[in-house]
Amino acid sequence: MSRDLTEAVRLLQAGELVAFPTETVYGLGADAANPEAVAKVFAAKGRPADHPLIVHLPGAGHLDRWARDIPQAAWDLAEAFWPGPLTLILKRADAVPLAVTGGQDTVGVRVPAHPLALDLLRAYAQAGGGRDGMCGIAGPSANRFGRISPTDAEHVREELGTAVALVLDGGPCQVGIESTIVDLSRDDAVPRILRPGHITPERIAAVIGVTPDFPAGRPAGAVPRVSGSLDAHYAPRTALRVVASADLAVVLAELAAQGKRVGVLARTESGAAESAAGCCRLPDDPEAYARGFYAGLRELDQGGNDLIVVEALGVGPDWAAVADRLRRAACGAGEG
Ligand code: TXA
Ligand code: MG
């Protein structure tokens, strides 16, 4: 673990992998303009090559080098939310290698808000950036494909071990779930949310004057353009079951009677949850819950439990982003 930016920049320029903190989750960084470096990201994650990576930029001033035909809405959103947890999908500039876009003609870009990420990106730009002077760091979440996203530096080591040359340690991530992704690449189409996150559709609408499309779940028959939209994403290895608050005590008693070792991810105060083999209680507030969600799941996944019981989330739009992650975790449970 390190905070050595000079070494991080040197490694990136040499085509090596550097994991770095962002405000959402840790990213697995590589020079986005270098196809061989990008290939190492896919290999380290075990991720299929047609899943595009997000490119992290030092600032919106770099957008022109990565995207073309940038609509006004993109500039407005960048102005309002960057640095921050919002990824824009735009038409790809010619200079962007297809390796980083998964072969697509669009590119995902964002400026992260974590101070260490920004310092890294700025130091990288200062040092001349990567190939062809392009200053983008490709950074998917620094976990093995389909697994729980890392929200601190220790998780990255657990996931990727020596496959990553350097892990920059910026402490625990403040947002805790991945950025909101909004697709602005389709001419004349209403912007579309591809992945919900901390930046809500309402906040986006307030900036661009149109409510973005927010398809509930994955569009039928759609190719998984966003790997996070594969149902088995963000999954613990332990089987996972979501239980309503009101049923928690009864269900846990039944499981105990069956001799099951259960880890509970609780949200409200519950004696039954606290007397389970493992219990992690997260705050009953969507933002604070999101901050601790992946770390809680990871802890229970490693606790030698037969089953993880998650107390059902609160209802309403504020819970939508974390509900999306929980739904996927529940789908993929037990698949490893
Ligand atoms: O918060 C985040 O976005 C984190 C941090 C590290 O920045 N990154 C992240 O990356 O979640 P990843 O690769 O795990 O998920 C990003 C998603 C991928 O599922 C990818 O398919 C999607 O963004 N994406 C990237 N480029 C895209 C494109 N051109 N079109 C559609 N989706 C794209
Ligand atoms: Mg991911």
Side-chain angles (χ1 to χ4, degrees), residues 22 24-27 45 47 52-54 56 87 89 104 106-108 110 139-141 178-179 181 194-195 225-228:
T22 82
T24 60
V25 300
Y26 274 70
K45 274 186 70 88
R47 179 173 183 160
L53 307 181
I54 290 175
H56 298 76
T87 295
I89 305 296
Q104 304 193 46
T106 55
V107 62
R110 86 173 184 104
S141 52
E178 301 82 351
S179 59
I181 301 182
L194 299 182
R195 180 174 70 184
R225 296 185 71 202
V226 179
S227 74

